[in-house]
Amino acid sequence: MGTNEKAEFASQYSLPTPGSDSPSFTRKPYRFSTLCATVENPNSSHKDQHGSSSVPIYQTATFKGIGGEYDYTRSGNPTRTHLEHHIAKISSAQHAFAVSSGMAALDVITRLLKPGSEVIAGDDIYGGTNRLLTYLRTHMGVTVHHIDTTKPSTVLPVLNPGKTAMVLLETPTNPLLKIVDIAGISSMVKEKCPDAIIVVDNTMMSPYLQRPLEHGADIVYDSATKYLSGHHDLMAGVITCNRDDLAQQMAFTINAVGNALTPFDSFLLLRGTKTLAIRMDRQQSTSLLVAQMLQKLGFVVHYPGLPDHPGREIHERIADGYGAVLSFETGDKELSERIVGATRLWGISVSFGCVNSLISMPCVMSHASIDPATRAERGLPEDLIRLCVGIEDPADLLDDLRHALVEANAITLAANDFVRIPTVVNKAAEKLALSEPRVERRNLEVAQEWFVSAPGKVILFGEHAVVHGVTALAASVDLRCYGLTTPRYDNKISAHFANISNFYHEWDIDSLPWDVVTAVLPGDVHPEALDQKLLDAINERALPPADRMPPKSQPAALAFLYLYMALSHGNQRPAFNFSIRSTLPVGAGLGSSAAFSACIATTILLLYKRITAPRPPAPTRPPTKNEPGHLHTSHDGRRAIPQGTAEEINRWAYVSEQVLHGNPSGVDNSVVVYGGALSYTKPGFGKKSGMDKVHGFKSLKFLLVDSKIGRNTKQLVANVAQKKMEEPEAVAKMFDAIQSISDEARLALDDPEMPREQLLNALAAYITENHEYLVRMGVSHETLETIRAKCNAYNLSTKLTGAGGGGCAVTLVPDDFSDNDLKSLINDLAGANFDPYLTSVGGSGLGILSPYNRSPLNAGEPVNGSVTPPETPTDEVNGELAPKSLREHFISIKAEDLNQWADARGQWMFV
C-alpha cells in the first residue's frame, strides 16, 4: 500500500503507547512484525480485569446475563473476538472471521452463491478447493469455469454479466507457483461484471507477504492451519473483507452453521501469529537457497524468487516476499518417489506452513482428489515434488536434500561438484519433446485405437409423457452400436457412418470454425443450451451442402463435430478416423441415435483424456498362441467403468442428443450408458426427479419390429406439447394415467415374490393400456397399427416405443409362446415388408475395449491385462513402423457377424 494508506491503516488500528508525541518528533506507524507481536483490542469491554499479558481463554459455551455482548460461544466469544480483531489489523481489513478450517472458510464464502451462478477459478488450485467446486457444480446448479487465471485474456471470454458471481484466485498457485495479477484481474472483472465478488486464497503468502484487499479483492481467506499458526497444532481458517454487506452475510452463515473457531484454538492461533513475521523471514530466505541449488542442478524449478520465474514482476508489485513454498520437476515419477522417500529432515506431509520442513508429491497426495485426466489437462506434472521450507538451519536442509538426490540416483558427485545423472536428463528431455510441436503431440496422444459400444433401448412405458415430467421405464436391448477410432497423421479427422447411407467425410482440422468455439474446459459442465453460433458455423462452414448429404447424415455429422470442437481447448486437437456401425435399425425408435451419441462422446472424451478407464484384472487363465489375452465378460460388475466416468459420458451423450433431437428427455442416453432397466423422471416439474435402477428387472423376451417408416421426432414431441396447450385438462389426465402405469409396472418388476406368469400378464395389460393413451396423443400411425393387428392375432400385446413413434413396435413374448407360432409371426411380418428382431432386454450398458496388451503374448506366461489406452501394435511399412489397425476389418465384417467379432476383440469394461 502507499504511504498515505499505510498511515491511515496504522491510525485506524493504532496501539496504545506510553507518553505523548512531541510536536517535533511524531511517532511512526508500527511495522508489520510489531503489529503481529502486539495483541490489543481498543474496546474497553475486552480488557482483562487482571491485566494478563496473554489473552485469556474463555473456555465456556454460554455466558450469564441478559443483553450482554456474549451469550453463546457459537455466536461470539471474547477470545475469538481478540483473534478476529488481530487478524483484521494485520490484513488491512475492516472485518475478520475465524472458523474451523481453511475449507470451512471457503464453504462460508461460497454460500454467497445461488443456483445458476457462475464461478471462475484457476486451473492450478488446491485439491480441496477443486473438490468443493465440483460438489457445487454437480449438486447446487453452480457453473464453474477452470481457466488459466494468470492470463487476463483467458478470463475475459468467460465473464458473463449478470451470471458471473465470483472469481476465485490463488497467487502464487498451488503447487506450480503461477502468478496472478490480483489488481489487473479485479479491475477487469469489476468493469464487465460489477456485481462479481473477487475472492483470493492467500494461504501461500499469509498477510505478512501479501494483502489482497489492498489490490482490489473483496474477500480474502487463509488456511490458518498453515503460516498464521505455524506449528501444525491446530486447524483454523480466517476470512477478511472490507465490505459491510458481505461481512453481514458471512457472519450470519457462521452463526447459523456453527463452524466458528473454538476458544482454545483461537488462543493457539493468537499465539502463533505473534511469530509470523520472524518465522517467514527465515523460511523464505532458506527457500531461495533451496531453489537456487535445484535450478543449478538442472531441475525445472517453480519459485517466484528466481529471476526467470514467469510473472515475477507482477508478484513483486503485489507482494512483499517470495514465500516458503517451491516445487520442482524431475522428469520421472518413479525418480520423484525415490527422492521423497530418501529425505530425513523433510517430513512427508500434504500440508505446508509449519516450522518443520515438509516434502510431498501433489499428484499422489494433496491433489490426488483431482482425477488424472484433469490433472493432465491442467498441466500438473505427475513427477512434481513440492517443498515447504521450515525454520531449520539452511545448511542442514540443503545437505539432507542433496543426500536424498544422490540416494535416489538423481545426481552424482563429479569434479568436486554435484551434477545431474545423464539418464535423468534424457528422460526430462524426452518428456519435454512430447509437448512440442503441436502436430507431433496430436499424433502421440492418439496413436492408439479405442473401441467402444453402446446398446439400444426400448421405452416400455412413458413415451412422450416423459418429456413432460412423467416417469418412464426403459431398458437396454441386446442390439448395439460399435464405434472405433484410429489415428491419423495428416492433421485431419474423418467420420464414417456405415449405417447412414455409408456416409464418409474428411475435415482438415485447422479449417474448422475454431474462431466461434467457446470450449468447455476440463471440470466444467456444458451449459443447458447448445452453442447456437457453433452449430451455425459448423453447418455453414464445415458440412457439405445439404443436398449432397444422405438423409440423417447431416445431424449425425453435426453432433460429431460439435462434441469434437466443444471439448477441445488449447492446442489439443487430435487427428483420427471415427467409424461407427450398428446392429440396431437406424431411425426405428430403438435408441440408435442415443447409442451413436454415447459412442462419439466416449471416444472423443478418451482422445482428449477427459476420462480414463480402469486397468482390467488379468484373465483367469493364461493365453495361448491361438487365443487373445483377454476374455469377454458380461455385465457382472467385475470390470466396471468408474461411476464418475460414466456420468461424464452420459452428460456429453445428452449434449449430442440435444444436437440430434432438440429437447430430449435424457432417458435414452441414460439407458444406453448405464444399461439394465431404469426408471427415469425428468427434472423441472416440481417432484422428485432422477434415475433409478430397476433392480428387480427380470429377463424378458421381446419382438422388435421396424416398420421402416421414419418419423420426425422433434415434430412429434412438438405436437404433443401443442396438444397439451390446447387441451390441458385432457392431456394432464392422460399423463396421470401413464404415470400410474409406470408406477404399477415398476412395483411389479421389483416384486421378487410375484409369480412369473402373473408378472407377464400384468406387463401385457400395461403395454396395451399405455399404447391406447399414445394413440389418443396422436403419436401412432397406420403402419404401426397394422403391426399391432398382426401381433394381436396371436394374443400378444404390442405398443410403439421411442419418441419417434412410427419407427418401431415392441411386442412382449411370453415364456410359453410356441416356437412355431413365433416363426409364423416373424414370417408374416417379414412378408409384409417389416423387419422383425427377436431379442432380450436389460443387458450391459456402455462398453470400452482395450484390444491390445502392452507386452507380447507368450504362451504359458501370465498376462497383466489391458491398459488404458493400449499401445497399438505396429507393422513395418517402407522400413518404418506404422500402426496396425482394426479399422479395415471393422468396416468389412458382415453385419450379422459384428456382435461376435466385437466380442472376440478383447476384454470389455462395462458401466
Side-chain angles (χ1 to χ4, degrees), residues 43 72 106 129 139 152 215 222 243 256 305 311 316 388 442 535 664 687 728 784 801 843 845:
N43 190 328
Y72 195 53
L106 182 59
T129 302
H139 300 285
H215 302 288
D222 288 65
R243 283 177 49 178
E316 291 179 337
C388 308
R442 290 176 184 166
L535 290 172
K687 59 182 179 181
L784 180 64
T801 188

Side-chain angles (χ1 to χ4, degrees), residues 315-391:
H315 181 77
E316 291 179 337
R317 191 167 69 242
I318 62 176
D320 297 327
Y322 303 119
V325 176
L326 64 143
S327 60
F328 69 103
E329 302 173 44
T330 68
D332 183 355
K333 183 179 179 182
E334 292 182 357
L335 174 63
S336 296
E337 291 173 347
R338 294 198 302 269
I339 294 171
V340 171
T343 58
R344 298 294 180 266
L345 278 177
W346 301 80
I348 302 176
S349 174
V350 296
S351 193
F352 60 88
C354 185
V355 293
N356 306 111
S357 294
L358 305 173
I359 189 170
S360 67
M361 289 184 65
C363 288
V364 296
M365 298 174 72
S366 59
H367 292 62
S369 61
I370 303 175
D371 67 89
T374 302
R375 291 199 302 262
E377 297 289 352
R378 297 178 183 177
L380 186 60
E382 295 290 315
D383 61 288
L384 190 74
I385 296 176
R386 189 182 70 180
L387 298 173
C388 308
V389 182
I391 65 171

Side-chain angles (χ1 to χ4, degrees), residues 475 554 601 852 864:
Q554 187 273 343
Y852 305 112
N864 292 327

Side-chain angles (χ1 to χ4, degrees), residues 106 147 385 419 804 824:
L106 182 59
I147 62 171
I385 296 176
V419 295
S824 176

